[in-house]
Amino acid sequence: MEAPIRATHILGFALFFLLFFVCRSSPLHDLLISSAERRIDLTSHIVKVYLTLKVENAGSSPTSEILLAFPPTQVDHLATVEALVTKGKRKKTTLVRLDVKPTELPDAPNGTKYFTIYLANPLNSGESTTLEVLYLFTHSLEPFPAEIGQSESQLVYYRDSALILSPYHIKQQTTFIKTPSTKVESFTRVEPTNRAGTEMKYGPYEDHPPYSSSPILIHFENNSPFPVVEELVREVEISHWGNLQVTEQYTLVHGGARHKGVFSRVEYQSRPTLSGTSSLRYLLARLPPRVHSVYYRDEIGNISSSHLRTDSRKSELEIEPRYPLFGGWKATFIIGYGLPLQDFLFESSDDRRYLNFTFGCPLLETVVDKLTVKVVLPEGSKDPSAVVPFPVEQHLETKYSYLDVVGRTVVVMEKKNLVPSHNSHFQVHYTFKPIFMLAEPLMLASAFFLFFVACVAYLHIDLSIRK
Amino acid sequence: MTTVTNMPLSDLLKSFKLKTKQQELLIRVSILCLVYILAFITRLFSVLRYESMIHEFDPYFNYRTTLYLTQNGFYDFWNWFDYESWYPLGRIVGGTLYPGLMVTAVLIYRILHFLRFAVHIREVCVLTAPFFASNTTLVAYFFGKEIWDTGAGLVAAILIAICPGYISRSVAGSYDNEGVAIFALLFTFYLFVKAVNTGSLAWSLASAFGYFYMVSAWGGYVFIINLIPLYVLVLLITGRYSMRLYVAYNCMYVLGMLLAMQIRFVGFQHVQSGEHMAAMGVFFLMQVFYFLDWVKHMLSDTKLFQAFLRITVTCAVVVGTIALGLGMLSGYISPWTGRFYSLLDPTYAKDHIPIIASVSEHQPTAWSSFMFDYHILLFLFPAGLYFCFKRLSDATIFIVMYGLTSMYFAGVMVRLILVATPAVCLISAIAVSATVKNLTVLLRSKNKGVLTGSTKGSSSSRASSKALLDQSQPFQKNGAIALLFGAFYLLSKYATHCTWVTSEAYSSPSIVLAARGAHGNRVIFDDYREAYFWLRQNTPVDAKVMSWWDYGYQITAMGNRTVIVDNNTWNNTHIATVGRALSSYEDEAIEIMRSLDVDYVLVVFGGVTGYSSDDINKFLWMVRIGGGVFPVIKEPDYLVNGEYRVDKGAAPKMLNCLMYKLCYYRFGEMLTEYGKPPGYDRARGVEIGNKDIKLEHLEEAFTTSNWIVRIYKVKPPNNRW
């Protein structure tokens, strides 16, 4: 008994030291980025950053981990990080997705946060590889002025660094920033800086040591509305009678510059291009194909301004809130729809069933601050387990719906700060015996039967006291 | 071959064959079931046309209180002090409403949830009125059966199921007191008539509980507590006094009174208010009558009894008058309220209580609306009365009295058509049933010539006169057939009329307005909810909204914001203050609004869409009600030669008062109709007189997409330096 434990201990220590060694010395100092190109897209309120890194292993030992660094202010707004590597030669290139995980390093300068990209094949010494990294920030455009009138356009600040924050030495780097329009109030110059049309170019900068940065501030016009769903609760109810009922409760807010003063309908109607340009007039939701019985309502009733377009591949629901949303205005509403069950529910090999459904918010170009997905399993289901491609908080609940006796198991998944790229599929596995499907019809039938028996009995029994 | 195989089958069928009585029962039960369902589904037009939503104004308050009741339980509901309305006074909701409707809805909701039907309380509220209308048809059947026969009962059930007079207040979504109250009213009357007919304490007790339910549901219970004593009095006068009546009335009155005192809003009114004194007087009269009866029984001497009678009656009358006089003088017994007066005298409200007269449903009824709501029943009603008089009994006397008194009230106030509807349906049902029955008897008894003659005597007016003419003629049967066809034609016309009225006139929620577009498509104006939802989402939680009282309930229920006045209209001065603010100049109005802590002002404006029941058209009532309390507001200031105008020729005060400014602010820039100048008001059909409106203390906060609701924000006072 003793020996194996000791063996694992030793192995653990050895691994720890190895890791320490790896972290401390080799990747930080032996890797270097020979060229980096960053493209920041500021056209919508979700900031998209495309980073192309050419990483070179200048050290002696092979490594398979590459670190990305973010300042702490950005990390709070970071919605997603993806890393891809190109494989193949010339024409037959394919992109392979790599694992990215948040990492803590003990002595990060100024609270820098790290993400580690795990390469599929270790990078041997002297070799180099090209990584494509995409990350998205939400709530990173700060409206300034913070309050605008109806006819003013929306100006925002974007803060970043002209130099890419990295734990590695960067030999050459360039940053391109794309603004939605040519109207840029001001921007920080870090020579060489060029501006042409809607694009700004910072760089190229040569040979910057690790952790160098140079803050920049861009003040520009962004008149697109900032639809932010503060809270979204999606409830997916499975009925084995062939229907999947989805109910989505939205708390929508316009996250742009707050509306100030008068709202004049006459101007809004007569000069739509000048007045209330950043207001949120409608939203587009992309729903699965073969959707039916769609409704759009709120606490006080149906909202009549919605249009549904369906074709064989997708359904699009265009919804208008009851009133145009100006900055800071809120609206809550509910969208509900039914879907054919066979498109989403499958049987796995081990006699279990699983639901395969999209996780995120169906509204396009929308940030979701907090998303709760509830999967209501049919009554009598057992052993639920959820498989989600990214970390979420999970717990179970019980819900009582029509004619439920023991209640339905609800798998609840919660996640914060979502962007449309989180609309990937997740699975919920569970076991269910088809006999439970008959429970409710049988209950109803027996209730009616008892009622009729009672009627018959009442008609045939004389209950009068007097004879 | 075939005969052999069919033999056992026909035997089987024969064994299943019902006796005539069973057949009759089966047909009756299935007709009743169909009527029950019909009464329900004919009220669902509004749900099909629009959606499952609460209609109009008062139902929104009922819905809000029901929601409160489901969330907080009965005790909190009973002690609820609502600070969201009548700011800064507030309203003691538990003590100023009839809780019957809300409690009923919550009870249904709880039962459904107990049975695991996870419905929303809104659905229950929406469908409460149709459900009770269905129940009313059953009551009408039993009532008809009690006063005439089962045939009349069935016809009454069918007539009341689709009668527009009743549907107007019981479509799905019309979640108002009347929805359950008509059921309670008819049920109480039925139980009372049953009690009078049987003399049974059990029925009498049941009618007391029916009365209790009615009291808890609607202020119209005053009609019961006055009609029943009147009926008893009539029976006493016509010499129909009986022990049955004594038992029925005393039990019903005493118990009903005690039970009714449990409703906080009613309280001790049964012994303290002038409106309830008739019942008490009749109660004492009954005792005197009983006492005299007993004395008469004991005394054999007629002369002695006559003397005794004289003394007793004089004493009783004197004591009663003194008690009443003392009660009135000491203020213990309150005099009749204005509402009661306005019922007895249709012109009273117009002169004394403008707030009652301003409501459209309190106007005297036009002939057309009688025709609209009753259709053929209007002609069948007198015929039914004739039949009732021909076969006079305690029960028919009751229905006749109910019919006649309620018809009078229906003539005084439009909304009371509702109360008359059950009586009209029952009496008409008697006419239809008796006529059809006589005609069919005539048809079927052709073989037995002798019997025909005997039934003819007691048959209907039309049938009998016809029959008398054709006594020896062979056309008698043809005449009966023709009359039957005529009757069925009329009844089918009635059915189509009712369906048409229900679908066209009575199924609009009045929150959502629908119109036909240029291409014949349906255009929906959902501006009210747009505005209320905007208030709910984008104003501070404690914001106070000032509007005319019509919209108070809706703002609190849908907008979830505090209002200054609402449809409860309990404080005339407060309403007059709002009326004064709206009809003053802006700088005077701002003082009033600041004193009331107003943050937002909401006005309803139909100039863009041509929606005519907007605030400009209601404005004269605001002036009148405001002027009733504050004489600085004078109606002639707003009129030009007695004419109400908004165009260039309007009175200067009109053109500059707050209401005008708020409605027409920046409307002068708006092109509403092709070929008309900007600022053309489509609701009034004129170009407005003041196009250059400047607001000093208010700013436009929100205007809905069709301009129907406009909301203004009261600016904070300027800094002094």
Side-chain angles (χ1 to χ4, degrees):
Chain A
M1 285 300 280
E2 284 267 281
I5 291 172
R6 190 157 297 158
T8 48
H9 271 230
I10 291 163
L11 202 69
F13 271 115
L15 265 176
F16 178 73
F17 275 107
L18 195 72
L19 209 71
F20 187 76
F21 182 71
V22 161
C23 290
R24 286 296 302 163
S25 58
S26 85
L28 293 182
H29 303 297
D30 295 347
L31 283 179
L32 64 87
I33 295 170
S34 52
S35 76
E37 187 190 275
R38 184 168 60 153
R39 289 181 178 276
I40 302 174
D41 183 356
L42 299 178
T43 49
S44 83
H45 67 125
I46 301 170
V47 178
K48 302 183 189 77
V49 183
Y50 303 92
L51 196 63
T52 311
L53 299 174
K54 197 165 181 207
V55 187
E56 210 179 293
N57 191 352
S60 51
S61 56
T63 178
S64 61
E65 293 172 8
I66 297 164
L67 286 175
L68 288 174
F70 293 97
T73 46
Q74 278 190 343
V75 130
D76 295 340
H77 301 303
L78 186 68
T80 172
V81 185
E82 277 175 34
L84 302 163
V85 68
T86 40
K87 271 207 171 165
K89 296 248 168 84
R90 298 273 160 178
K91 282 182 181 175
K92 286 185 180 174
T93 51
T94 47
L95 287 170
V96 177
R97 186 182 292 262
L98 300 174
D99 271 354
V100 184
K101 285 198 179 111
T103 316
E104 290 284 328
L105 283 194
D107 56 347
N110 298 328
T112 310
K113 303 278 184 216
Y114 296 94
F115 279 77
T116 310
I117 302 172
Y118 296 91
L119 293 175
N121 306 314
L123 199 63
N124 292 323
S125 86
E127 275 184 352
S128 69
T129 183
T130 307
L131 291 175
E132 300 279 346
V133 183
L134 163 68
Y135 47 91
L136 304 179
F137 294 115
T138 59
H139 300 288
S140 293
L141 300 181
E142 181 202 336
F144 189 85
E147 288 189 337
I148 54 169
Q150 188 180 342
S151 53
E152 295 173 68
S153 64
Q154 182 171 262
L155 300 173
V156 291
Y157 276 146
Y158 176 69
R159 293 163 211 278
D160 206 334
S161 158
L163 300 172
I164 299 165
L165 189 75
S166 175
Y168 310 117
H169 183 88
I170 304 178
K171 276 188 178 164
Q172 193 205 39
Q173 58 178 312
T174 325
T175 296
F176 297 93
I177 297 177
K178 196 173 178 233
T179 54
S181 69
T182 51
K183 207 176 158 206
V184 176
E185 292 283 303
S186 67
F187 60 99
T188 317
R189 284 185 174 273
V190 181
E191 291 305 333
T193 304
N194 284 316
R195 187 178 150 225
T198 60
E199 202 169 69
M200 269 174 277
K201 185 181 174 192
Y202 282 90
Y205 305 113
E206 309 279 344
D207 280 326
H208 277 277
Y211 298 113
S212 44
S213 87
S214 157
I216 53 169
L217 178 69
I218 303 166
H219 192 199
F220 62 101
E221 184 192 60
N222 188 341
N223 263 331
S224 66
F226 290 8
V228 177
V229 178
E230 286 186 332
E231 192 173 359
L232 169 60
V233 180
R234 299 186 85 195
E235 192 177 275
V236 183
E237 192 168 333
I238 302 168
S239 160
H240 276 259
W241 291 93
N243 190 37
L244 195 71
Q245 183 65 40
V246 186
T247 315
E248 296 166 350
Q249 294 179 30
Y250 291 88
T251 309
L252 183 76
V253 69
H254 187 303
R258 295 183 66 81
H259 178 69
K260 176 178 72 178
V262 176
F263 166 63
S264 168
R265 178 65 75 170
V266 68
E267 276 181 16
Y268 191 70
Q269 276 172 344
S270 56
R271 286 184 281 275
T273 47
L274 292 175
S275 173
T277 40
S278 62
S279 71
L280 185 60
R281 286 158 209 255
Y282 68 92
L283 291 158
L284 205 61
R286 188 154 292 157
L287 304 179
R290 302 219 283 156
V291 67
H292 64 86
S293 7
V294 182
Y295 64 84
Y296 170 45
R297 58 171 296 136
D298 58 26
E299 292 119 299
I300 62 171
N302 179 52
I303 308 170
S304 51
S305 45
S306 62
H307 306 281
L308 180 69
R309 290 183 290 267
T310 51
D311 60 35
S312 57
R313 279 177 291 112
K314 64 176 191 304
S315 310
E316 273 186 341
L317 180 69
E318 189 188 307
I319 54 174
E320 276 175 54
R322 284 195 190 273
Y323 41 84
L325 288 183
F326 282 83
W329 286 13
K330 271 188 184 179
T332 56
F333 55 89
I334 300 169
I335 299 175
Y337 46 93
L339 292 166
L341 190 69
Q342 65 266 30
D343 296 1
F344 301 96
L345 193 78
F346 306 96
E347 263 184 75
S348 58
S349 52
D350 54 347
D351 210 27
R352 278 160 72 85
R353 286 150 210 272
Y354 68 93
L355 172 84
N356 187 31
F357 203 67
T358 48
F359 191 81
C361 163
L363 295 181
L364 301 182
E365 283 295 306
T366 313
V367 172
V368 182
D369 287 349
K370 189 184 173 207
L371 172 71
T372 311
V373 178
K374 296 181 175 184
V375 179
V376 185
L377 302 175
E379 207 177 13
S381 336
K382 287 195 179 69
D383 318 318
S385 63
V387 181
V388 192
F390 30 79
V392 291
E393 279 179 40
Q394 280 188 36
H395 64 272
L396 293 181
E397 275 177 9
T398 309
K399 186 198 170 190
Y400 290 93
S401 182
Y402 288 91
L403 297 174
D404 284 351
V405 182
V406 291
R408 306 181 182 204
T409 312
V410 185
V411 182
V412 185
M413 288 161 279
E414 284 176 11
K415 180 159 172 61
K416 291 200 168 117
N417 201 9
L418 279 92
V419 286
S421 67
H422 283 108
N423 282 9
S424 48
H425 287 264
F426 71 96
Q427 289 81 33
V428 173
H429 297 259
Y430 62 97
T431 49
F432 179 77
K433 291 206 179 65
I435 192 78
F436 281 109
M437 277 168 72
L438 294 173
E440 285 171 4
L442 282 179
M443 254 164 62
L444 271 186
S446 47
F448 273 102
F449 179 71
L450 284 177
F451 173 72
F452 288 130
V453 165
C455 282
V456 168
Y458 175 75
L459 288 176
H460 282 83
I461 298 168
D462 189 3
L463 289 171
S464 63
I465 302 165
R466 254 180 302 172
K467 281 281 173 214
Chain B
M1 278 291 276
T2 47
T3 48
V4 174
T5 46
N6 277 352
M7 270 299 275
L9 199 77
S10 60
D11 271 359
L12 202 74
L13 280 175
K14 222 168 248 173
S15 67
F16 272 114
K17 198 172 177 190
L18 301 164
K19 289 174 217 129
T20 322
K21 213 174 169 188
Q22 284 174 320
Q23 278 178 343
E24 198 256 333
L25 181 76
L26 184 69
I27 291 173
R28 203 172 354 131
V29 169
S30 32
I31 289 178
L32 267 182
C33 286
L34 285 177
V35 170
Y36 193 87
I37 295 166
L38 173 73
F40 192 83
I41 59 173
T42 192
R43 284 163 170 83
L44 298 184
F45 269 115
S46 58
V47 175
L48 290 181
R49 289 276 160 78
Y50 296 90
E51 57 181 284
S52 161
M53 67 184 289
I54 307 287
H55 292 191
E56 309 231 327
F57 303 102
D58 287 16
Y60 269 97
F61 170 74
N62 299 330
Y63 176 55
R64 179 167 162 247
T65 46
T66 312
L67 216 58
Y68 189 90
L69 181 56
T70 42
Q71 283 159 2
N72 299 302
F74 193 71
Y75 282 97
D76 276 356
F77 172 69
W78 214 226
N79 297 321
W80 182 16
F81 182 80
D82 177 22
Y83 48 82
E84 274 200 6
S85 56
W86 293 94
Y87 184 85
L89 307 170
R91 176 182 174 187
I92 309 157
V93 174
T96 56
L97 53 49
Y98 294 100
L101 178 71
M102 299 94 196
V103 173
T104 309
V106 170
L107 210 64
I108 297 173
Y109 174 73
R110 293 266 157 83
I111 290 172
L112 286 176
H113 270 251
F114 176 74
L115 295 174
R116 298 280 183 230
F117 286 97
V119 290
H120 191 270
I121 182 71
R122 186 189 55 247
E123 316 296 339
V124 177
C125 291
V126 164
L127 296 178
T128 298
F131 173 64
F132 272 88
S134 289
N135 294 339
T136 310
T137 61
L138 286 189
V139 178
Y141 164 72
F142 285 110
F143 205 172
K145 192 176 157 191
E146 193 63 32
I147 55 177
W148 202 257
D149 56 11
T150 48
L154 277 183
V155 177
I158 296 167
L159 290 183
I160 203 166
I162 54 172
C163 183
Y166 184 25
I167 285 182
S168 66
R169 288 316 189 97
S170 62
V171 290
S174 174
Y175 179 57
D176 211 345
N177 292 333
E178 289 96 325
V180 298
I182 291 305
F183 164 78
L185 178 92
L186 201 62
F187 197 50
T188 312
F189 282 154
Y190 162 65
L191 291 170
F192 184 72
V193 167
K194 189 94 185 168
V196 172
N197 275 351
T198 55
S200 142
L201 208 54
W203 287 111
S204 182
L205 194 69
S207 82
F209 277 99
Y211 177 66
F212 170 59
Y213 185 58
M214 176 70 189
V215 173
S216 75
W218 193 35
Y221 76 90
V222 177
F223 180 60
I224 298 187
I225 203 64
N226 282 300
L227 178 65
I228 286 182
L230 191 67
Y231 164 66
V232 172
L233 201 66
V234 167
L235 285 193
L236 291 184
I237 290 167
T238 51
R240 283 173 169 272
Y241 170 79
S242 63
M243 204 56 207
R244 293 178 283 119
L245 184 67
Y246 184 81
V247 169
Y249 183 70
N250 285 327
C251 174
M252 189 263 167
Y253 175 66
V254 174
L255 261 171
M257 178 174 73
L258 288 176
L259 285 170
M261 285 180 186
Q262 312 310 311
I263 305 297
R264 275 174 66 198
F265 192 29
V266 177
F268 291 112
Q269 279 186 32
H270 276 78
V271 290
Q272 284 191 338
S273 115
E275 286 137 35
H276 302 74
M277 280 304 121
M280 187 177 269
V282 168
F283 173 70
F284 286 120
L285 195 66
M286 283 288 268
Q287 311 314 319
V288 172
F289 229 83
Y290 184 75
F291 177 66
L292 286 175
D293 220 34
W294 179 70
V295 171
K296 192 181 178 183
H297 179 71
M298 301 300 276
L299 287 178
S300 45
D301 191 352
T302 342
K303 222 175 175 183
L304 208 63
F305 176 70
Q306 286 292 334
F308 183 76
L309 182 70
R310 215 168 298 137
I311 294 167
T312 326
V313 168
T314 323
C315 284
V317 168
V318 167
V319 168
T321 321
I322 288 174
L324 196 67
L326 277 180
M328 291 286 223
L329 282 179
S330 64
Y332 183 75
I333 297 172
S334 61
W336 288 353
T337 58
R339 275 173 197 266
F340 203 70
Y341 271 121
S342 64
L343 273 182
L344 298 179
D345 174 11
T347 56
Y348 181 84
K350 212 172 178 184
D351 301 331
H352 296 92
I353 331 169
I355 205 149
I356 291 182
S358 74
V359 181
S360 65
E361 60 180 25
H362 290 166
Q363 305 300 323
T365 318
W367 263 110
S368 57
S369 52
F370 270 118
M371 199 55 214
F372 200 61
D373 281 356
Y374 290 146
H375 199 238
I376 60 161
L377 303 187
L378 213 52
F379 307 109
L380 291 172
F381 181 66
L385 285 181
Y386 166 78
F387 281 110
C388 288
F389 276 114
K390 268 197 107 174
R391 210 177 92 181
L392 220 50
S393 67
D394 289 356
T396 46
I397 290 178
F398 182 84
I399 196 69
V400 165
M401 290 195 55
Y402 173 26
L404 291 177
T405 48
S406 61
M407 261 313 219
Y408 169 74
F409 291 128
V412 174
M413 256 190 208
V414 180
R415 69 190 286 211
L416 292 182
I417 281 191
L418 181 72
V419 177
T421 304
V424 172
C425 286
L426 278 164
I427 293 175
S428 308
I430 291 171
V432 172
S433 169
T435 310
V436 171
K437 202 167 194 177
N438 289 332
L439 290 174
T440 44
V441 165
L442 211 65
L443 279 182
R444 292 177 64 145
S445 59
K446 200 214 166 190
N447 305 341
K448 305 166 194 168
V450 195
L451 215 135
T452 326
S454 67
T455 43
K456 258 184 283 174
S458 62
S459 58
S460 80
S461 58
R462 276 181 287 177
S464 64
S465 62
K466 189 91 183 167
L468 279 171
L469 280 172
D470 312 350
Q471 194 149 31
S472 54
Q473 285 172 10
F475 301 119
Q476 180 178 305
K477 198 181 162 188
N478 295 344
I481 290 174
L483 280 175
L484 262 185
F485 271 109
F488 284 119
Y489 175 73
L490 278 181
L491 287 175
S492 61
K493 274 280 152 198
Y494 172 72
T496 42
H497 170 81
C498 290
T499 317
W500 176 77
V501 168
T502 312
S503 89
E504 293 296 317
Y506 289 146
S507 293
S508 163
S510 89
I511 294 283
V512 184
L513 311 164
R516 292 264 161 236
H519 309 290
N521 52 328
R522 194 152 165 264
V523 184
I524 283 183
F525 299 131
D526 204 356
D527 287 40
Y528 278 109
R529 289 193 294 185
E530 183 182 341
Y532 296 144
F533 207 65
W534 183 85
L535 275 179
R536 190 189 185 106
Q537 297 287 343
N538 299 310
T539 56
V541 183
D542 59 347
K544 286 107 200 160
V545 184
M546 183 173 93
S547 72
W548 189 234
W549 60 265
D550 295 22
Y551 316 108
Y553 278 166
Q554 293 178 350
I555 294 171
T556 40
M558 284 193 272
N560 197 17
R561 291 294 174 267
T562 308
V563 293
I564 307 294
V565 290
D566 67 25
N567 311 43
N568 187 232
T569 64
W570 66 272
N571 189 327
N572 191 37
T573 317
H574 215 52
I575 292 180
T577 312
V578 172
R580 182 186 174 185
L582 291 172
S583 43
S584 307
Y585 293 127
E586 195 190 349
D587 46 353
E588 293 160 14
I590 192 71
E591 298 293 320
I592 301 172
M593 291 192 288
R594 292 230 167 96
S595 71
L596 287 173
D597 278 358
V598 173
D599 298 309
Y600 291 90
V601 184
L602 182 148
V603 293
V604 171
F605 172 61
V608 176
T609 48
Y611 171 59
S612 61
S613 54
D614 65 349
D615 278 348
I616 289 288
N617 282 357
K618 290 175 186 170
F619 183 57
L620 274 191
W621 285 111
M622 304 178 200
V623 173
R624 265 174 222 157
I625 291 168
V629 177
F630 304 102
V632 285
I633 305 291
K634 296 183 200 71
E635 191 178 333
D637 290 352
Y638 300 86
L639 303 174
V640 179
N641 303 326
E643 210 185 335
Y644 180 64
R645 319 173 56 160
V646 295
D647 56 355
K648 278 206 171 61
K653 180 127 197 196
M654 178 71 206
L655 289 178
N656 289 297
C657 68
L658 185 67
M659 177 53 82
Y660 191 93
K661 280 183 151 185
L662 297 187
C663 283
Y664 291 121
Y665 180 65
R666 299 198 72 177
F667 181 65
E669 304 164 31
M670 176 91 176
L671 263 177
T672 52
E673 211 166 302
Y674 184 71
K676 294 279 197 271
Y680 178 77
D681 183 335
R682 295 177 69 188
R684 260 101 10 211
V686 290
E687 189 187 343
I688 58 164
N690 184 359
K691 287 190 184 174
D692 184 33
I693 294 171
K694 296 268 187 298
L695 289 173
E696 196 184 334
H697 303 289
L698 293 140
E699 63 181 18
E700 188 178 1
F702 187 71
T703 298
T704 57
S705 47
N706 299 301
W707 291 55
I708 290 178
V709 185
R710 309 194 71 183
I711 300 171
Y712 293 84
K713 188 175 194 287
V714 178
K715 283 194 221 165
N718 287 332
N719 286 336
R720 278 176 208 271
W721 48 75

